[in-house]
Amino acid sequence: MSNKTCCVIMAAGLSSRMGRHKPLLPIDGHPAIVHLILTMLNAGVDHCIIVTGHHADDLKEACRDLNNITFVHNPEYASTDMFTSAKIGFGAVTSDYSRVLFTPADIPLIPASAIKGLLAHTEPLIYPGDRTKKGHPVSIDAAFLDMILSFDGDGGLRGALSSLHVEPVYLAIEDPGILIDMDTPEDYQKILDVCESKEPSP
């Protein structure tokens, strides 16, 4: 059985509250999507699947120099929910992978330490954080992908994961990057402030 890990990244949304396409906003000198992919790959993830919708061509262009990535597209991104895009992403994971990490693209500051911590564990369902504050990425045993893809109940991905009837494991990660998203311009400014505070002093 392979122990390779694939990461599915949601980048299909309209970014309506932000007013600009979130995955393309600059973070530490890169578009947010590139920053996130590089963190994943450098931390030991073998491949990233990016689910596109809005500005798909711009996303591909932003990532043109990256290796070990695959793009899949949700043509109905404007009228479907994130779980529809998630299923498209999960459906593109091949049998080469035993574990899947999942995250939206608008949580760009996930630390490499969190990814490495998740990759060091093999429990079926793992969240960074705790029961009250589940962070990203969530780590899922690839053996459950067929059940997730066939789920047609309520609650989207959360409902699908609950339907697996496996007890989630929570990995204590102190870094707030597992939780900080950017839905609004104010959120984005907070992310920029966090990045600036992490820069070494001259």
Side-chain angles (χ1 to χ4, degrees):
M1 179 67 176
S2 165
N3 61 356
K4 293 172 66 177
T5 300
C6 183
C7 181
V8 173
I9 301 175
M10 297 291 95
L14 289 167
S15 303
S16 54
R17 284 193 286 168
M18 178 64 75
R20 293 182 288 169
H21 195 47
K22 292 182 287 187
L24 295 174
L25 292 174
I27 302 286
D28 272 354
H30 294 289
I33 187 69
V34 173
H35 180 84
L36 181 58
I37 291 169
L38 288 173
T39 301
M40 291 289 174
L41 296 177
N42 290 337
V45 171
D46 296 289
H47 197 89
C48 290
I49 294 172
I50 299 94
V51 184
T52 64
H54 197 41
H55 288 296
D57 290 340
D58 293 331
L59 283 170
K60 290 180 180 178
E61 175 64 20
C63 298
R64 68 186 183 280
D65 295 328
L66 299 178
N67 297 316
N68 300 315
I69 62 173
T70 299
F71 287 95
V72 292
H73 186 64
N74 177 5
E76 299 178 348
Y77 66 89
S79 59
T80 54
D81 60 14
M82 189 174 75
F83 188 43
T84 301
S85 293
K87 283 185 172 182
I88 292 171
F90 288 141
V93 178
T94 66
S95 59
D96 301 293
Y97 300 97
S98 60
R99 182 155 295 275
V100 179
L101 302 184
F102 173 87
T103 187
D106 63 357
I107 305 181
L109 299 186
I110 294 170
S113 58
I115 300 162
K116 291 176 181 177
L118 289 167
L119 297 183
H121 289 73
T122 59
E123 290 86 356
L125 180 61
I126 313 168
Y127 292 97
D130 57 40
R131 292 178 186 277
T132 59
K133 291 184 178 180
K134 297 176 181 176
H136 282 89
V138 56
S139 177
I140 307 164
D141 189 317
F144 290 107
L145 289 183
D146 285 345
M147 292 176 65
I148 293 171
L149 289 169
S150 63
F151 178 76
D152 61 359
D154 296 327
L157 180 59
R158 188 187 301 270
L161 294 177
S162 296
S163 76
L164 301 178
H165 300 298
V166 296
E167 187 66 27
V169 170
Y170 297 93
L171 188 63
I173 303 290
E174 297 300 324
D175 194 304
I178 62 171
L179 296 166
I180 302 174
D181 62 7
M182 51 178 189
D183 282 335
T184 67
E186 292 77 18
D187 294 336
Y188 177 52
Q189 185 57 52
K190 289 177 184 176
I191 283 176
L192 295 180
D193 292 343
V194 169
C195 290
E196 186 174 339
S197 70
K198 288 185 176 181
E199 291 180 358
S201 301

